[in-house]
Amino acid sequence: MNGSFPSSGFNFGSSNGAGNPLAGVWEAVEQLRSGFEQRSGGSRMARGDVRSAVISLLAEWPMHGYQIISEIGERSGGAWKPSAGSVYPTLQLLADEGLITADEQGGRKTYSLTDAGIAESEALAAKPAPWESAGQRGGAQSHLGGLPKAGMELASATAQLARTGTPEQVKEGVEILEDARRRLYAILAEG
């Protein structure tokens, strides 16, 4: 699978891993991922957004921290997935403020709103949920839509083809990728 995509910086043929023909593919996948992160400014949201998101989710049903992180990621369409380092301190702060309680269930803390937390969630209900506006903010891939996800899925399929495809399948895959590259540049040429 030798060859690079002109003007893109992606080189599927450079094999830095001695004897690993997929090293170039994985390097290209990493370049693609980091390229989207640099252009999109990452997926950082304001601290108040994490707080609002946690309260909004807990208004629906009790959850543990990982569920909260997963729900935000899912509801934002992958545009925003807060880190544990932002969610767990927020949960602690909300507990300190008396807005949530934590119950130990099955070795995990499950959080739920107190009466004060319910009142806070009702006040937040008038505003759009933070995950709904994640794609509209400058830091959360606002203009890219589903492009990063589609690019990563394409890179993943390419890596799978490189790993398990026959020489004929790999040749056909290269032709498809080259056609896709030409078509993407054609889109840019239209604008």
Side-chain angles (χ1 to χ4, degrees):
M1 204 154 140
N2 282 334
S4 58
F5 286 90
S7 305
S8 70
F10 299 123
N11 185 350
F12 288 102
S14 71
S15 179
N16 294 340
N20 183 356
L22 295 178
V25 173
W26 294 120
E27 183 180 319
V29 169
E30 181 59 27
Q31 289 174 354
L32 180 67
R33 184 191 61 74
S34 65
F36 279 123
E37 285 178 355
Q38 289 170 359
R39 286 177 187 85
S40 69
S43 60
R44 295 185 64 89
M45 299 292 283
R47 185 169 300 204
D49 292 331
V50 174
R51 176 188 171 92
S52 298
V54 168
I55 292 171
S56 296
L57 288 173
L58 292 179
E60 296 176 15
W61 64 80
M63 296 183 192
H64 56 76
Y66 179 75
Q67 285 174 307
I68 292 169
I69 293 168
S70 297
E71 277 294 318
I72 292 171
E74 191 174 306
R75 292 180 188 209
S76 70
W80 177 34
K81 187 170 183 185
S83 68
S86 64
V87 170
Y88 286 102
T90 300
L91 289 167
Q92 183 60 54
L93 179 64
L94 293 171
D96 291 347
E97 293 175 1
L99 298 176
I100 65 172
T101 59
D103 295 314
E104 187 91 20
Q105 295 177 354
R108 287 192 155 163
K109 283 186 179 180
T110 300
Y111 301 91
S112 56
L113 294 178
T114 62
D115 289 340
I118 292 170
E120 180 93 10
S121 73
E122 289 169 354
L124 290 173
K127 301 177 190 174
W131 52 81
E132 291 173 359
S133 61
Q136 299 168 3
R137 299 184 186 188
Q141 304 173 356
S142 58
H143 72 286
L144 298 177
L147 190 61
K149 183 177 185 222
M152 290 303 295
E153 288 173 351
L154 177 62
S156 177
T158 301
Q160 180 70 25
L161 181 62
R163 263 193 317 275
T164 62
T166 66
E168 294 80 23
Q169 289 171 325
V170 170
K171 182 180 178 198
E172 185 178 347
V174 168
E175 291 170 5
I176 290 170
L177 290 172
E178 288 173 350
D179 181 56
R181 177 186 48 82
R182 282 190 293 272
R183 292 177 64 186
L184 289 171
Y185 280 129
I187 291 169
L188 289 172
E190 292 172 6

